[in-house]
Amino acid sequence: MVDFKDLELCRDRDFCGGCTYQGVAYEEQLANKFGEVKALLEKKGIDTERLLPIEPSPERYGYRNKMEYTFGDMEKGGPMTLGMHRKKHFMSIITVDECQLVHEDFNIILRETLEFVRDRGYTHYHKKKHTGLMRNLVIRRGVRTGEILINIVTTSEEGFDEAGFTEMISALPLENTVVGILRTINDRPADAVYCDELRILKGRDYYNEEIMGLKFRVNAFAFFQTNVDAVENLYSYALGLIDDFENKNAFDLYCGTGTISQVLARKASEVIGVDIVEEAIEGAKSAAALNGIANCRFIAGDCFKVLESIDDKPEVIVVDPPRVGMSTDAMDKIISYGVDQIVYISCNPKSLAENLYYMQYYGYEVVSVKPFDNFPGTKHVECVCLLSRN
C-alpha cells in the first residue's frame, strides 16, 4: 500500500492532464466530487436528502491496471518521448515515467522501452503526415494475480527488432510477472489503438484477473475495470441494495464483461446480460464458462433493440450505462417492465441526473444515491443509485 503522505507532487503535473487534483488534499477532492454530484441532482430536482456520503477509494495511488502510452515528441523535431498528451497541446507527448497512478513496474517498462527505441533511432508515428514506426505502448496488469501483459504498437514499416524488444522486456527487474509480450500492427490514420495484425512475441495474449470471487481472462483489447479494488467495493454495495434476487430473472444491462451478471447468477434463476460491444460480450461468455456459470445468457447489441427482440421479463434490473447514459427508448422499455427495484450504476453524474429526472417523472422514486471515488486524483466520480417503483 502506498501512503499518499509520503509522495511528493508529481514531476509532470504542469504538463500532463491526467491528474487534475495534484496537490489537493484527499478530503478536499472527496468534498469537491460530492459537491458536484449534489449540484447536478439539485439542478434536476432530485431530492438530495437521499444523497449518501461519498465512498473513498481503497488506494489513492498505484491503482490503475491499464495504461495506453503514445510515442511522439514534446517539441517539434525534439527527442522521442513516450507517455501522455500534453495539456492543451494535442500534438505534444510528455514522458510520464514517474506516474503515481500506476504500479512502479509500469514506469520501469515505459522508461526502458523509450531507451530501446531511442537507441535504435526509430521514428514515431506522425499524426498529420501518417508516417513513422512507433505508435503506442499498452501495459495491463492483473492486480490480484500479479500478471503483466505488454503490447507494443507499431505501423507495418520495416525495421522493428522484435527479438531485441522481447529480450529487453524479459530481462527487466519487475515485481510482477510478464506473461505476454505482443506486437500490434496498426496502419490506420486515427489516433487510437486498432489491430490490423496481432503478433505474440512471447507468452500469451491475455492476463488473468480475479474480482468478486470470479476469474477472468483479459485479452489485449478487452474492456476491464481500471481500479479493481474500488469497483469490487462498488459492485458489492450495488448488489446489496437489491432486497431479494434469489430464483428471480435478472437483467444486467450495459453489462461489459459480465461481472455483475455472474454474481447475480449465483442466486438468480437466469440472468441476461446485454452490451453493445461484441468483444465485451465474448469476454463475458468466456468468463462465465471459466467460472462454471450456466444460467447466464449474454447478448451483443443496442440495449433497446435487444430488449425489443426478446420475450423474457425481468424481476430485477441492474444498469451500468456508458458516460452518455441511457436513451429515452431504453428507459421507456425498462420502465415498462414495472420491476420493483432498479439499481443504476453511473460513471457520469450529469447523465445520471438527467436519467433519474426522466425515470422519476415516469413512476420511479430515487431511494438513494451514493458517490464512489474510484479514480483518485482525477475529476471522475461514479455513483450507485437505487430506484423503486411508486
Side-chain angles (χ1 to χ4, degrees), residues 28 58 96 316 345 364:
E28 186 177 343
V96 290
V316 172
I345 300 171
Y364 275 86

Side-chain angles (χ1 to χ4, degrees), residues 4 9 11 17 59 115 122 124 156 169 184 190 252 276 287 304:
F4 76 104
L9 287 177
R11 177 197 66 188
E59 296 286 350
E115 183 177 343
Y122 295 154
H124 68 80
S156 58
I169 292 293
T184 292
D252 180 15
I276 198 169
F304 170 70

Side-chain angles (χ1 to χ4, degrees), residues 195-209:
C195 181
D196 294 327
E197 179 188 351
L198 180 64
R199 302 177 185 175
I200 301 177
L201 306 184
K202 184 178 180 180
R204 41 182 156 90
D205 63 350
Y206 67 89
Y207 71 90
N208 292 300
E209 186 57 288

Side-chain angles (χ1 to χ4, degrees), residues 13 40 43 136 163 196 238 308 332 360 369:
R13 64 189 180 278
L40 289 167
K43 186 176 180 180
N136 302 95
D196 294 327
E308 280 283 280
D332 287 341
Q360 188 173 256
V369 179

Side-chain angles (χ1 to χ4, degrees), residues 27-61:
E27 292 74 15
E28 186 177 343
Q29 293 184 37
L30 294 176
N32 289 346
K33 293 183 181 185
F34 179 86
E36 177 194 0
V37 175
K38 183 177 181 181
L40 289 167
L41 293 177
E42 286 176 340
K43 186 176 180 180
K44 286 296 182 179
I46 310 298
D47 184 3
T48 54
E49 291 296 318
R50 311 294 175 89
L51 182 59
L52 303 176
I54 187 169
E55 184 73 18
S57 174
E59 296 286 350
R60 301 172 196 179
Y61 292 89

Side-chain angles (χ1 to χ4, degrees), residues 152 160-163 165-166 181-183 199-203:
I152 192 78
F160 184 74
D161 183 0
E162 294 181 348
F165 180 74
T166 302
I181 303 173
L182 314 175
R183 180 186 178 191
R199 302 177 185 175
I200 301 177
L201 306 184
K202 184 178 180 180

Side-chain angles (χ1 to χ4, degrees), residues 111-127:
R111 194 177 303 127
E112 296 302 319
T113 298
L114 180 56
E115 183 177 343
F116 177 87
V117 300
R118 280 179 172 176
D119 287 347
R120 284 157 177 76
Y122 295 154
T123 57
H124 68 80
Y125 180 76
H126 196 283
K127 299 177 183 65

